Amino acid sequence: MAAENVLDEAINTVGVDVEVEKYSVFTPIEKCFIYYPAIPTVSTSSSALVSKINLTVNTYMAVATIAPTLIGDAADILGRRPIYTLTLSVYFAASLAIALTHSYSALLGLRVLQALAILGTFSVTYGVVADVASPAERGSFAILVSFAKGLAVSLKLCADSVQDNNCAKH
């Protein structure tokens, strides 16, 4: 973060418009569940370094890679409805607790729960599509699920930006 600020100041003093390209192995949909615009605010709120808040992002993404497998397998064994109810409840509780916490260690643990819960629901959702749709209809239903997921991500990004701007003003 400090290196970016130094680069921005150097560019501004020279007066040259330079766009710095940032690369990531994560897709835009994966990145939207991360609170990039709010990292400085979260850092201040939890009295943690920005690098530690970045660790919560990395931990979230690491859990995101295994969550669909774990939750999808559990849904196949225990049933989709109870697992879906459980994961959404855990996600809601973790999100609420994150909003109320000011502790870095609590934030890190809750982000793990949050990632496990919400990203596991995607595999359950596609399992439901496979259960209710005939093979000829699955593509249409999968497109609707993907559209809904993308729409939710877009709305979340907008809400996060508004929330971060409101928090920064107070």
Side-chain angles (χ1 to χ4, degrees), residues 75-76 80 121-133 138:
D76 288 341
R80 300 198 200 295
T121 60
F122 295 147
S123 61
V124 176
T125 303
Y126 286 110
V128 169
V129 166
D131 289 345
V132 300
R138 280 189 196 143

Side-chain angles (χ1 to χ4, degrees), residues 38-62:
I39 285 179
T41 307
V42 172
S43 174
T44 304
S45 172
S46 63
S47 301
L49 297 172
V50 170
S51 60
K52 284 191 168 188
I53 301 303
N54 286 336
L55 180 62
T56 67
V57 172
N58 293 338
T59 304
Y60 184 94
M61 295 310 296

Side-chain angles (χ1 to χ4, degrees), residues 89-101 110 114:
S89 299
V90 168
Y91 178 72
F92 177 76
S95 297
L96 185 62
I98 285 171
L100 299 174
T101 190
L110 290 167
Q114 193 181 40

Side-chain angles (χ1 to χ4, degrees), residues 18-107:
V18 177
E19 190 172 313
V20 178
E21 188 72 31
K22 296 185 179 164
Y23 297 97
S24 176
V25 296
F26 302 114
T27 66
I29 292 225
E30 290 170 329
K31 284 196 246 180
C32 69
F33 290 102
I34 302 170
Y35 39 75
Y36 282 129
I39 285 179
T41 307
V42 172
S43 174
T44 304
S45 172
S46 63
S47 301
L49 297 172
V50 170
S51 60
K52 284 191 168 188
I53 301 303
N54 286 336
L55 180 62
T56 67
V57 172
N58 293 338
T59 304
Y60 184 94
M61 295 310 296
V63 173
T65 60
I66 61 169
T69 303
L70 297 174
I71 301 299
D73 287 346
D76 288 341
I77 295 168
L78 302 172
R80 300 198 200 295
R81 198 174 298 168
I83 294 297
Y84 205 66
T85 304
L86 176 69
T87 55
L88 288 178
S89 299
V90 168
Y91 178 72
F92 177 76
S95 297
L96 185 62
I98 285 171
L100 299 174
T101 190
H102 294 289
S103 163
Y104 169 73
S105 55
L107 176 66

Side-chain angles (χ1 to χ4, degrees), residues 41 159-170:
T41 307
D160 284 350
S161 295
V162 168
Q163 180 182 8
D164 188 45
N165 286 337
N166 287 339
C167 289
K169 290 178 185 176
H170 295 294

